[in-house]
Amino acid sequence: MLDIRQIRKNPDEYKKRLGTRGVEPEKIDALLEKDKERRDLLVEAENLKKQRNDVSTEIAKAKRNKEDATAQIEKMREVGTRIKALDEDLDRVEAEEQDIASRLPNLPNPTVPVGLTEAESVELYKVGKPTEFDFEPKNHWDVGEDLGILDFERAAKVSGARFVYYLGAGAKLERAVYNFMLDEHAKEGFTEVLPPYIVNAASMYGTSQFPKFKEDVYQVNGEDMTLIPTAEVPLTNYYRDEVIPTEKLPVYLTALTPCFRSEAGSAGRDTRGLIRMHQFNKVEMVKFTKPEDSYDELEKMTKCATNILDKLGLPYHVITLSSGDMSFSAAMTHDIEVWMPAQNKYREISSCSNCEDFQARRSHIQYRDENGKLQFVHTLNGSGLAVGRTVAAILENYQNEDGSVTIPEVLRPYMHGMEKITLENNK
């Protein structure tokens, strides 16, 4: 949620910067019109309430003096009727203003590359050379199906498209990957959390999935409950409507959860494999920080995510997304993309975002500054990493000509010393 006071002061600046995210200037005008209407109604209502209090005092005085108060009583009835109408108008206008404001994305940081598509994103650095083979590499789904560790066909029978069964060594590999990630994040100071997987609408609103992105999630019919699209939702809402003790900041939380997404707008994209699923595992990182520390914490969070890829020996690059390609709540996002040999390109495996105070305003998460004044915290979130995509990258980058897959060394202790996945040892 943006600060309406700042929009009032700098409407042209907000129009300019939000315009880089595809927001039409008329949306800002509409918000300011509703804001003015609300404030005018509030002033009129408050004046009438003061007048009603004054008339009530006059009536009480008249009654004490045994004087006729008929005129004052009639006047108070008229004022009361007008106040009731104003309060109804105020409720309506506040709801309309809130609806407009809740659909405006976060203001991009001034240093974010300007552009409406991913083409304007800027590469920060590369690590590792793209994996090369002396044979034609297979897509990860073919590697997995040939080894009998991934079964998309039976998952489609049981659940539908974009679901998968992990089998034998495939299930062990997935488990090894997320346990390794959680252990690494614990070393970096994150507190591991096992959160709820179903949340209410207030939580979805707090992290800004609602109201704009309701079509992207799975909701429980007849209930105010939603399957989480990411652990960002329950982790960030942990402190909703609270004041975090200043001495606790920064707070680092991490969680492994399943994530559920309808992928409503992705028809025809990544219809095979583990890249775009309706259900997948992800290790999430969330931070609560003081405003002055949040961008340093963004760089640290990005390093936490790339550390996983470094230790797995997977080639990747880091890019700063353009203003129009960031998520709704982000002020700046670093995307990490891992090399996928069969596709001959980098694919996203993590997004690390600084939301500044955008989510904290929606969720009312605050702390007290050095003067004891309440301020909104800054929230950050990042994938550390998307587990299925990491498994896909391992299958493609560590595949061998005979169809086996070498296990990265750091994962072998999590797989009881297994060095390769073959048809023979897939149990």
Side-chain angles (χ1 to χ4, degrees), residues 217-255:
V217 299
Y218 291 109
Q219 293 185 267
V220 180
N221 286 338
E223 294 189 39
D224 172 25
M225 302 298 281
T226 300
L227 296 175
I228 61 169
T230 164
E232 172 197 343
V233 180
L235 290 183
T236 303
N237 279 278
Y238 183 76
Y239 284 114
R240 190 176 81 233
D241 298 322
E242 292 188 34
V243 177
I244 303 175
T246 306
E247 63 272 15
K248 278 192 172 184
L249 296 174
V251 175
Y252 292 8
L253 303 178
T254 188

Side-chain angles (χ1 to χ4, degrees), residues 103-158:
R103 295 174 187 276
L104 291 175
N106 201 357
L107 199 68
N109 183 283
T111 64
V112 166
V114 173
L116 295 178
T117 69
E118 61 184 343
E120 290 83 19
S121 297
V122 174
E123 183 181 75
L124 297 179
Y125 57 90
K126 277 185 181 147
V127 174
K129 294 180 180 179
T131 309
E132 296 181 354
F133 300 93
D134 54 11
F135 60 92
E136 186 68 27
K138 295 188 291 187
N139 286 296
H140 66 273
W141 56 85
D142 288 327
V143 175
E145 287 177 331
D146 291 347
L147 284 171
I149 62 174
L150 298 177
D151 193 331
F152 294 95
E153 185 175 345
R154 286 189 175 91
K157 174 184 69 176
V158 171

Side-chain angles (χ1 to χ4, degrees), residues 251-426:
V251 175
Y252 292 8
L253 303 178
T254 188
L256 162 74
T257 67
C259 304
F260 305 92
R261 301 184 185 179
S262 70
E263 295 292 348
S266 65
R269 297 175 61 195
D270 299 308
T271 54
R272 299 197 66 185
L274 300 171
I275 297 298
R276 200 173 299 278
M277 308 290 286
H278 289 310
Q279 174 191 321
F280 59 93
N281 289 321
K282 180 157 66 78
V283 173
E284 186 74 5
M285 301 177 287
V286 162
K287 293 184 177 185
F288 304 86
T289 79
K290 295 179 182 178
E292 62 267 27
D293 299 329
S294 65
Y295 278 94
D296 285 341
E297 292 293 347
L298 175 61
E299 300 308 315
K300 290 179 185 177
M301 178 177 279
T302 305
K303 286 295 183 186
C304 290
T306 59
N307 170 62
I308 303 297
L309 294 174
D310 290 334
K311 292 190 173 182
L312 289 173
L314 293 169
Y316 64 91
H317 73 166
V318 179
I319 61 176
T320 298
L321 294 186
S322 66
S323 54
D325 201 36
M326 295 189 297
S327 69
F328 184 83
S329 60
M332 176 181 282
T333 298
H334 295 327
D335 258 16
I336 304 165
E337 297 184 334
V338 68
W339 180 253
M340 300 295 283
Q343 298 181 45
N344 196 38
K345 65 179 178 180
Y346 292 100
R347 296 300 305 267
E348 179 194 335
I349 198 168
S350 173
S351 282
C352 295
S353 299
N354 186 355
C355 299
E356 297 187 358
D357 64 3
F358 188 80
Q359 292 178 328
R361 286 181 181 278
R362 297 170 78 105
S363 302
H364 301 106
I365 306 172
Q366 297 174 296
Y367 77 104
R368 293 191 183 276
D369 64 19
E370 62 275 9
N371 298 315
K373 185 177 179 182
L374 285 172
Q375 304 287 357
F376 290 105
V377 299
H378 280 194
T379 63
L380 299 89
N381 62 78
S383 310
L385 307 162
V387 180
R389 293 188 180 199
T390 306
V391 169
I394 290 170
L395 295 181
E396 290 203 12
N397 284 276
Y398 280 92
Q399 64 182 293
N400 301 303
E401 190 170 11
D402 64 1
S404 66
V405 173
T406 301
I407 303 298
E409 285 190 23
V410 292
L411 297 183
R412 292 175 189 175
Y414 295 89
M415 297 193 68
H416 308 291
M418 183 185 291
E419 295 184 4
K420 280 187 179 182
I421 300 176
T422 66
L423 276 172
E424 292 71 31
N425 69 5
N426 176 32

